[in-house]
Amino acid sequence: MRGNEVLMVSGSDTHGTPITIRADQEGISPAEVVERYHADFLNSWERLGISFDLFTHTNTENHEKVVQDIFLSLLNQGYIYTDNMLLAFCPGCERFLPDRYVEGTCPHCSYERARGDQCDQCGRTLDSQELVQAFCILCGGPPEFMESEHFFLKLSAFQDSLLEWIKDQPHWRANVSNQTRSFLEGGLKDRAITRDLTWGIPIPLEGYEGKRIYVWFEAVIGYLSAAIEWAANSGQPERWEEFWKDPSTRSYYFIGKDNIPFHSIIWPAMIMGYGNGLNLPYDVPANEFLSLENRKFSTSQNWAVWVPDFLDRYEPDPLRYLLSINMPETGDADFSWSEFVRRNNEELVATYGNLVNRVLSFTYRNFEGLVPQARPLDEIDRQMLDAAKAALDDVGNSLEHTRFKAAVGQAFGLAQEANRYLDTKAPWRSIKTDRNEAANTLNVSLQVINCLKVVLAPFLPFSSQKVHEYLGLEGPVELERWDFEHLIGEVKGGSALRQPAPLYIKLDPQVVEMETQRLGNENS
Ligand SMILES: [Zn+2]
Ligand SMILES: [Zn+2]
């Protein structure tokens, strides 16, 4: 909308251990687990109005080819080498146990269900050898530790270049900068990038058939392979290079804070080693954590709001609004049902929805469904339009700097301003005494609503599409231009409006009781 060319890609990480664990538990293949969840994700994205140029997954031939190419290139340049390491092996199951297949008591906080890679209670990263009374999650038996040959990524070789590079990233969020710097200053250790598994990307060398490239090394390559797949699908197979090799391209990685080092250290190190002119990340705007009713989300304990379940009951835009205005950008945040109801009723319905509905239905009724002609503007009208112009600049600027909370706040500031303008001008009174004055106010209000529709489109796409249509305009709202002069000329005096309906439904506070009762309840 701002005129930048954007490629938005992502995908399902199909090789994580939770997938093989689920497959083992249900007695189905990991590929079947992937197929089921990937289809669910695609469906949820669509229902939420979140669109990608490509949302793929990492279980594709293309991804395998790209990963193996990077692996071999790093190996040939000496950035990958082999060494022996001790790994958990279950004699009962006769198999090696990757990190999450081992659980036990955390040596730091005594939590009894700590995993072989991390303790969920104290958050520390662990090695399965550190667990007290470790057990295999498949059979419950104690694991043994056996030597196995694996490939290591020589992260230590990139320590200095990474430290230099992060000095040039003053625009990073403080949480990302701080975590990255402290990680680097602690010294980078080489890490094993393969495991004894049969699910995952094969090692492209003879003699390693029982091993796979581990997920943390290959999943980040998914951003690159997705762009390559997108280009191939578009019929211009070289086109991905514009987004990966042109130095004027900025790449953004939208992630959660538990993934920061993978995107700010490991992936950049891999790109530095691989070379070939690939761009390093421009920004890694990681969010902090979101809790649910002040408790950590847990899918296993059903302490969660399931997207398909939510969308069967409520509209997507109120959820998008709450998650934007309450985004854990700079600190942890909480999702609560009472806040959901409050913000829906007080902000979406009362501030924005009523404004749109009030102006459109009043105009529709009193001006035969047509946009009234404006006569020369007075000072108050001009101030209102200036505010709309400023909001387009401010919201655009905030979005460019990945300050989403600020952006949605600024957009709502314009809606509040428009409400004040209407209250001052009171066209429902002036229509009885000075029809031209009322026409003028409504014309200006419609122009402002046309701007509001644009600044709110990234947050409330379904609402913006409706407003776009009520204003008598055609086509998808995301093809609109983020441009004041264009928007002001678009809703012309004399053009036809469509009969409006309310944008949002006021929610009954009983929703809070009903939804909180369902939390953590296995049967609902
Ligand atoms: Zn712990
Ligand atoms: Zn076992």
Side-chain angles (χ1 to χ4, degrees), residues 106 108-111 119 121-123:
C106 172
H108 305 287
C109 74
S110 302
Y111 178 58
C119 171
Q121 184 158 290
C122 68

Side-chain angles (χ1 to χ4, degrees), residues 91-250:
C93 300
E94 294 185 336
R95 57 175 287 176
F96 279 100
L97 302 171
D99 316 335
R100 291 189 178 207
Y101 278 81
V102 186
E103 290 187 4
T105 303
C106 172
H108 305 287
C109 74
S110 302
Y111 178 58
E112 286 176 6
R113 295 296 303 264
R115 295 189 315 254
D117 58 347
Q118 194 169 35
C119 171
D120 267 347
Q121 184 158 290
C122 68
R124 284 192 177 81
T125 51
L126 298 170
D127 199 305
S128 46
Q129 281 167 270
E130 298 173 71
L131 293 171
V132 182
Q133 287 181 317
F135 60 91
C136 161
I137 64 155
L138 299 174
C139 72
E144 292 172 358
F145 288 88
M146 280 174 56
E147 284 232 313
S148 180
E149 188 193 17
H150 280 285
F151 290 84
F152 286 73
L153 177 64
K154 202 173 180 181
L155 279 172
S156 54
F158 300 98
Q159 168 112 4
D160 295 339
S161 343
L162 286 166
L163 271 168
E164 270 309 300
W165 173 65
I166 62 161
K167 281 186 198 152
D168 298 331
Q169 318 303 329
H171 52 281
W172 283 13
R173 291 182 183 174
N175 59 343
V176 179
S177 279
N178 295 341
Q179 202 182 318
T180 304
R181 191 168 301 112
S182 76
F183 210 95
L184 283 172
E185 283 165 358
L188 287 183
K189 289 191 195 74
D190 298 350
R191 287 183 66 165
I193 57 163
T194 50
R195 291 290 188 280
D196 299 274
L197 284 169
T198 50
W199 174 248
I201 309 275
I203 297 166
L205 297 166
E206 298 248 325
Y208 297 97
E209 286 71 21
K211 298 177 198 288
R212 292 290 180 273
I213 297 174
Y214 202 42
V215 61
W216 71 256
F217 177 86
E218 54 94 357
V220 284
I221 300 173
Y223 303 111
L224 174 63
S225 62
I228 293 171
E229 185 183 341
W230 162 82
N233 292 347
S234 77
Q236 294 171 277
E238 308 299 322
R239 226 186 131 198
W240 65 272
E241 297 189 357
E242 289 171 31
F243 292 97
W244 279 92
K245 296 190 174 181
D246 182 337
S248 70
T249 301
R250 289 177 171 183

